[in-house]
Amino acid sequence: MNKFFLVMGHTYGTKLKAKSFLVTTAITCLLIIGLANIQSIIKFFTSDEKAQVAVIDRTGSLYGPLTKQINGGEVALTKITDMEKEAKEAVKEGEWDGLLILSADEGGLPRAVYYAKTIVDNQTPEELAQALSQLKTALSAAKLGLTNEQMAELYKPVSFQKVALEEDAKTEEELNQARVLVYVLLFAMYMFVLMYGGMIATEVATEKSSRVMEILVSSIPPIQQLFGKIIGVALVSLTQFFIFFVVAFAALKMSGQEVWRLLGLDHLPTSIFVYALLFFLLGYLLYAVLFAVLGSLVSRVEDVQPLITPVIMIVAIAFMIAMFGLNAPDSPFVIGASFVPFFAPLLMFLRIGLVSVPAWEVALCFALLVGTIAFLIYVGAKVYRGGVLMYGRVNMFKDMKQAIQLTKK
């Protein structure tokens, strides 16, 4: 076990001191701080001045009510005489931010045309359209003789409740909170595989390219060496994520936001968090073994990326199915895919978080996951020991067979 801890400690220390790790961590921390204070940053760079809009009221009666409707908004209205051509030129030259021409349709209800230098800005026309819509509603109600109480009753939302008939079905609040946790696990798993899976493969390929692997294989059992790399990189990733969490927590706290209210996970049962941890660890171990084995098959670091691309594609497919499953967790397709070992860490946890899953399905999923990991470790250790002694062009399946044969010699 001393050799295992030696490999693990060396991997952890080397990656932790690497410039790429320090630079990536620093840049990501700055991005987290920026996102936590995004409202203040936007407010700092955004002008407090209201959009100045000229209004030509051809009805002679809409400008006053419209001004009352839009009072307190981000738009300032100014009534001008009916000189449309000159007003359009003034908008082009930047004297006005926009020109609003008001008229009435056959029913006497408001109609408007908005002119601007460009139509990139959506906020100003949307605010004007909303105010005009409210004004039209008020005018229509007045024509029909409706009182304010009758209007309020007319626009009162319908009473609609969702009631689950299953005894152990989750409430709406539990489902919303579970979705937050599912999102977190989905993105964490996806990021772990993309960011650190390649790191595991590259770590093995780097040592192999330096020809130091022959000495390591003869002195350290392959299973210890394999797991030393995997656990070492896992500790690096956990260290980095812990730094991100502390920085995010501190940034949100300093920005005055209620951190625990934002997380909103106080109503979830403890079992959900246990499942999240188990599936995350099993999923990481499953893919980490694959990346380590694939890294042992290449003799140059630049050959790593093409070889691990299929594995990344598998994770991407699992992620896309999970995104679909968030809205249809009880879909037969999602249920079937949740028993595929490479999809199970994401999809089975998604189902557990959102719907009631029979205990035997969860047990079967764990059995398939653990069995697949055990098989990969068994085969992977053999491929790893033989693969690190192989140099030359990469042919995945041919090289795996050759690597296993080398271990028998």
Side-chain angles (χ1 to χ4, degrees):
M1 288 301 291
N2 288 336
K3 296 177 180 178
F4 164 78
F5 286 113
L6 184 65
V7 173
M8 183 185 72
H10 178 265
T11 302
Y12 179 69
T14 303
K15 292 295 180 185
L16 207 62
K17 297 174 184 176
K19 288 184 179 179
S20 57
F21 175 85
L22 298 175
V23 172
T24 303
T25 303
I27 293 174
T28 307
C29 287
L30 290 175
L31 288 174
I32 291 172
I33 295 171
L35 288 173
N37 297 274
I38 190 69
Q39 293 180 348
S40 301
I41 294 172
I42 292 174
K43 189 175 181 181
F44 178 79
F45 288 101
T46 303
S47 174
D48 292 333
E49 295 181 2
K50 294 184 178 182
Q52 301 296 319
V53 177
V55 181
I56 297 175
D57 183 10
R58 289 178 177 167
T59 67
S61 60
L62 291 177
Y63 176 75
L66 179 61
T67 304
K68 292 179 181 178
Q69 285 286 350
I70 213 164
N71 186 32
E74 298 298 323
V75 180
L77 302 179
T78 303
K79 188 177 181 179
I80 61 174
T81 55
D82 194 351
M83 296 183 294
E84 183 177 336
K85 186 176 180 181
E86 292 81 354
K88 287 179 180 178
E89 288 297 324
V91 171
K92 287 182 181 179
E93 294 173 5
E95 295 179 25
W96 300 101
D97 294 310
L99 169 65
L100 183 68
I101 298 178
L102 298 174
S103 59
D105 59 16
E106 295 79 4
L109 297 175
R111 184 168 55 187
V113 180
Y114 178 75
Y115 297 94
K117 193 172 183 179
T118 65
I119 55 173
V120 176
D121 176 27
N122 286 327
Q123 184 176 353
T124 300
E126 283 180 1
E127 189 170 341
L128 289 169
Q130 185 178 2
L132 283 166
S133 178
Q134 293 171 351
L135 179 59
K136 181 180 178 181
T137 301
L139 292 174
S140 298
K143 281 191 173 186
L144 295 172
L146 298 178
T147 64
N148 291 335
E149 291 76 12
Q150 289 172 323
M151 283 295 298
E153 187 66 26
L154 182 64
Y155 286 100
K156 184 179 179 181
V158 65
S159 177
F160 188 85
Q161 287 183 301
K162 291 188 285 184
V163 179
L165 296 177
E166 289 187 9
E167 293 182 2
D168 54 349
K170 294 176 174 61
T171 64
E172 188 72 18
E173 187 177 21
E174 288 175 337
L175 283 173
N176 291 334
Q177 293 185 359
R179 285 191 182 96
V180 174
L181 192 58
V182 169
Y183 267 117
V184 170
L185 182 69
L186 292 181
F187 281 100
M189 179 70 72
Y190 190 65
M191 288 177 61
F192 256 63
V193 172
L194 290 184
M195 293 174 61
Y196 304 108
M199 188 184 292
I200 294 172
T202 304
E203 177 72 13
V204 176
T206 302
E207 289 186 352
K208 185 178 176 182
S209 62
S210 67
R211 300 284 176 145
V212 78
M213 193 62 76
E214 292 94 333
I215 301 173
L216 291 174
V217 167
S218 62
S219 59
I220 303 175
I223 195 71
Q224 292 187 21
Q225 191 176 349
L226 180 69
F227 273 89
K229 297 291 181 188
I230 292 171
I231 302 301
V233 173
L235 291 175
V236 172
S237 61
L238 290 174
T239 302
Q240 194 171 46
F241 269 77
F242 177 75
I243 294 172
F244 294 160
F245 177 80
V246 171
V247 170
F249 187 89
L252 289 171
K253 200 76 174 175
M254 291 177 67
S255 66
Q257 301 187 53
E258 297 179 24
V259 181
W260 299 117
R261 184 182 62 80
L262 287 174
L263 294 176
L265 302 176
D266 52 326
H267 287 85
L268 289 177
T270 308
S271 59
I272 292 293
F273 296 96
V274 174
Y275 280 125
L277 180 62
L278 287 175
F279 278 114
F280 182 80
L281 293 176
L282 289 174
Y284 174 78
L285 185 58
L286 178 72
Y287 283 104
V289 173
L290 267 179
F291 281 116
V293 172
L294 293 175
S296 69
L297 294 176
V298 300
S299 55
R300 299 181 305 171
V301 176
E302 51 266 33
D303 293 331
V304 170
Q305 192 59 43
L307 198 62
I308 66 174
T309 298
V311 182
I312 294 175
M313 291 299 296
I314 292 173
V315 181
I317 292 170
F319 184 80
M320 288 187 287
I321 296 174
M323 289 293 103
F324 165 77
L326 282 169
N327 296 318
D330 52 355
S331 166
F333 176 67
V334 175
I335 293 173
S338 67
F339 291 100
V340 179
F342 293 101
F343 299 159
L346 297 179
L347 299 184
M348 184 54 76
F349 176 71
L350 180 146
R351 291 181 58 211
I352 291 172
L354 300 182
V355 296
S356 298
V357 181
W360 70 267
E361 290 190 11
V362 179
L364 177 60
C365 179
F366 274 122
L368 290 172
L369 256 179
V370 173
T372 303
I373 292 171
F375 174 76
L376 286 176
I377 291 172
Y378 174 75
V379 176
K382 290 183 175 295
V383 174
Y384 185 85
R385 183 170 185 176
V388 293
L389 300 176
M390 293 167 50
Y391 297 88
R393 290 190 306 170
V394 178
N395 186 321
M396 186 187 297
F397 297 107
K398 184 179 178 181
D399 287 352
M400 281 188 176
K401 182 179 178 181
Q402 185 181 350
I404 293 174
Q405 290 174 346
L406 282 173
T407 62
K408 299 177 181 179
K409 295 181 179 181

